[in-house]
Amino acid sequence: MKILPPVIVSFAVTRQCNLRCIHCYSRSVDTPHPDELTTAEAKRVIGEIADTGARLIIFDGGEPLMREDIYELIAHAREVGLRPLMGTNATLITQDVAKKLVEAGIRALAISLDGAEAKSHDEFRGVEGCWEKTIQGIAHAQQAGIPFQIAPTLRHGRWQEWKDIADLAKEMGAMAVEVFDYIPAGRGTESLEFVLTTEERQSFVRDFIARQLADEEMVYRCIGIPQLWVEVERSVPEEDVLMRFVRTCCGAGLRYCCVMYEGTVYPCMVLQKKAGDIRHQSFQEIWYESEVFKTLRDRDRLEGKCSRCDWRHLCGGARCKVYEMTGSLTAEDPTCWLEEEELVR
């Protein structure tokens, strides 16, 4: 199998954050990790990511704007040929911060918004008043001309709120809405009551497909429910699939990976199986030689129902959920709702 370079790499540059999100994959707190990568180390990693052939880098956290050298790192990414993006809660984006981001070379923001109104967002994000600050930050980013997408997280009992958040995103001028399933990774393992039921995921998938087909302006993406793409292929005309849908899941270890603030490399921010450490290996060595990545890339290693599924190269199951639930990278996906007869194209 020919191994292609990653298309996109997330770089969680700090665990420090001003919020206390229930589902935080990096278990962020209000202080940096004692072994956080230095500026020089971070720049080396960014250069190695570029040398591997990646096109995009997402500066993430924690809250990346809490790292003092973040503008320097963004500028360095641009200098080595990467397209720098940022995942942020936007609460710290003042007019001055937005200006600095533009000057550093940021190309777009992915802004977390988990409620169409303050109460549900603030409860999930752990700090009262943060919804208002996020909305203000979005306005400052828009005024500075920074393209942005809105990223809500689905959760049990409130999953339908994503549609109201998407409506708000359109009003605010977002270019896309990227919906995340609740994945019990990191701090998220402590609040399993937010995990969606199978029926909720199926209902979401139906609503997601219908909304994208009805909306010619907004781009919708989904992370954490790869079965969505099986349903798209089965129910949407080919021309509409090609013209209207953007496939993003699941690229863990295939076209995407995550570098953490102390050097650990994961296949994905929510698939936290260590693939390497950039303090002891180059990024290139990890990407091309890691046994974890090799396992994920070989869909013929899948077990159980996933091994019998003709959609395995398109879907592959939610490996993040499989790993959290079973400790295996290759076991069948227990959250998959496809019946045995639906495994055959």
Side-chain angles (χ1 to χ4, degrees), residues 194-212:
F194 290 107
V195 175
L196 267 63
T197 65
T198 297
E199 292 74 20
E200 286 175 322
R201 287 197 188 94
Q202 288 178 289
S203 295
F204 164 74
V205 165
R206 288 192 294 268
D207 284 357
F208 179 97
I209 292 172
R211 187 167 185 120
Q212 183 64 91

Side-chain angles (χ1 to χ4, degrees), residues 8-240:
I8 185 168
V9 176
S10 287
F11 188 2
V13 292
T14 185
R15 75 170 184 183
Q16 190 175 10
C17 189
N18 59 329
L19 303 185
R20 297 292 176 272
C21 302
I22 289 171
H23 63 310
C24 182
Y25 67 88
S26 59
R27 298 182 182 272
S28 295
V29 292
D30 57 6
T31 57
H33 191 278
D35 293 325
E36 185 172 281
L37 298 172
T38 65
T39 300
E41 287 175 320
K43 283 186 171 181
R44 175 180 61 80
V45 173
I46 293 167
E48 290 180 356
I49 290 170
D51 290 342
T52 306
R55 299 198 297 267
L56 307 171
I57 185 169
I58 303 177
F59 289 100
D60 214 327
E63 172 49 55
L65 287 171
M66 296 195 77
R67 181 158 171 149
E68 293 182 359
D69 61 359
I70 188 61
Y71 305 109
E72 185 178 352
L73 298 182
I74 293 169
H76 182 68
R78 183 192 58 193
E79 289 164 5
V80 298
L82 292 167
R83 181 181 176 92
L85 315 173
M86 178 180 286
T88 175
N89 61 45
T91 60
L92 303 178
I93 302 180
T94 62
Q95 290 180 327
D96 183 56
V97 166
K99 180 182 177 182
K100 289 180 179 178
L101 286 170
V102 171
E103 291 172 347
I106 202 71
R107 300 301 297 273
L109 303 174
I111 299 174
S112 301
L113 191 66
D114 291 311
E117 45 80 33
K119 187 176 185 296
S120 61
H121 176 87
D122 290 359
E123 287 176 353
F124 198 56
R125 293 269 155 183
V127 175
E128 187 174 354
C130 67
W131 187 86
E132 290 286 352
K133 292 181 178 179
T134 294
I135 298 299
Q136 291 172 4
I138 292 170
H140 292 147
Q142 186 182 41
Q143 291 164 10
I146 306 173
F148 66 94
Q149 68 179 37
I150 296 300
T153 300
L154 302 170
R155 50 199 189 272
H156 173 59
R158 306 195 70 153
W159 69 268
Q160 294 192 60
E161 192 171 0
W162 84 273
K163 292 179 282 189
D164 295 328
I165 297 171
D167 289 339
L168 181 59
K170 290 190 71 171
E171 292 176 15
M172 294 186 295
M175 63 178 180
V177 174
E178 186 166 76
V179 186
F180 287 74
D181 193 10
Y182 185 95
I183 308 294
R187 195 152 58 225
T189 60
E190 301 168 13
S191 301
L192 298 181
E193 69 271 19
F194 290 107
V195 175
L196 267 63
T197 65
T198 297
E199 292 74 20
E200 286 175 322
R201 287 197 188 94
Q202 288 178 289
S203 295
F204 164 74
V205 165
R206 288 192 294 268
D207 284 357
F208 179 97
I209 292 172
R211 187 167 185 120
Q212 183 64 91
L213 287 172
D215 192 337
E216 296 183 359
E217 299 177 1
M218 183 69 75
V219 173
Y220 296 93
R221 293 190 287 267
C222 176
I223 302 296
I225 310 179
Q227 291 83 9
L228 166 65
W229 303 111
V230 177
E231 300 296 351
V232 168
E233 291 285 345
R234 286 169 17 136
S235 64
V236 178
E238 183 177 2
E239 181 177 350
D240 286 329

Side-chain angles (χ1 to χ4, degrees), residues 245-259:
F245 288 83
V246 179
R247 185 171 291 119
T248 56
C249 184
C250 168
L254 284 79
R255 56 185 182 274
Y256 166 83
C257 70
C258 176
V259 180

